[in-house]
Amino acid sequence: MTIRTILQTKGNQVFTTEPQEKLSVVVKQLVYHRCGSLLVCRGEELVGIITERDILRASATEGYNLETTTVAELMTTDLVTGTLDDSISETMGLLTERRIRHLPILEDGKLAGMISIGDVVKAQYAKLSIENHYLKSYIQG
C-alpha cells in the first residue's frame, strides 16, 4: 500500500498560506479548516510549513505578536516531503523518526497533497484489519 492509496481515499485538498501572512490570520485559517498545519506557498512554489506548535511557541515567547509576526518568521523551510509511490510503512517510519506530524506529498516536484500521521495510522490499521480477517478465515475454514 502506498501514499497514493491514502490520497485516493482522503482526497488531495491542501490548505495553504503565504509567507507574508500574519499569524493571527493563520490561526483563524487553522480553526476554520480544522487542521494542524498550513503549507506555505509562494505562487505555485512550496516554500515551507507552519504548524499549531510553531504558533504556540511564538505565543509563549517574548517579542512575538500574532498580529505583527509573519509566517515567514516562524515557518519551517527545511521540509521533509514524500511521494505518491512511498510505502505506508516507510512513511510511518519517516514520520516517527523525524518526529513530524504532517507530510507534504510531491509528484514531479509539484504539490500533490498532504497526509498526517493520523492518515498513515488509519491506513495501516485498515491494512492490518483486512489481513487479520483473512488469517482468521483461513484458520477457521
Side-chain angles (χ1 to χ4, degrees), residues 19-27 58-59 61-74:
Q20 70 275 9
E21 193 64 77
K22 302 295 186 228
L23 293 184
S24 59
V25 174
V26 169
V27 168
S59 297
T61 303
E62 190 73 31
Y64 285 106
N65 179 322
L66 297 182
E67 297 296 330
T68 59
T69 304
T70 65
V71 169
E73 295 175 62
L74 290 178

Side-chain angles (χ1 to χ4, degrees), residues 27-138:
V27 168
K28 289 175 184 165
Q29 289 176 311
L30 290 170
V31 171
Y32 178 78
H33 294 300
R34 299 178 65 188
C35 62
S37 67
L38 298 176
L39 293 178
V40 184
C41 296
R42 189 175 294 117
E44 295 290 316
E45 180 188 10
L46 177 63
V47 295
I49 188 169
I50 184 90
T51 69
E52 294 168 318
R53 287 183 180 188
D54 297 329
I55 295 168
L56 282 173
R57 284 188 195 106
S59 297
T61 303
E62 190 73 31
Y64 285 106
N65 179 322
L66 297 182
E67 297 296 330
T68 59
T69 304
T70 65
V71 169
E73 295 175 62
L74 290 178
M75 70 182 184
T76 300
T77 57
D78 184 23
L79 288 175
V80 176
T81 62
T83 69
L84 292 172
D85 296 321
D86 290 345
S87 76
I88 290 175
S89 59
E90 288 172 348
T91 302
M92 183 179 284
L94 174 69
L95 294 173
T96 303
E97 177 185 316
R98 298 293 297 267
R99 298 184 57 116
I100 56 177
R101 296 187 302 158
H102 304 95
L103 186 69
I105 305 301
L106 304 178
E107 181 177 34
D108 299 325
K110 300 236 184 236
L111 191 56
M114 186 159 75
I115 61 165
S116 69
I117 187 72
D119 298 326
V120 174
V121 169
K122 182 178 175 182
Q124 190 75 350
Y125 175 77
K127 178 183 173 208
L128 292 174
S129 293
I130 291 169
E131 288 176 2
N132 187 27
H133 170 76
Y134 284 120
L135 287 171
K136 283 181 180 177
S137 296
Y138 177 76

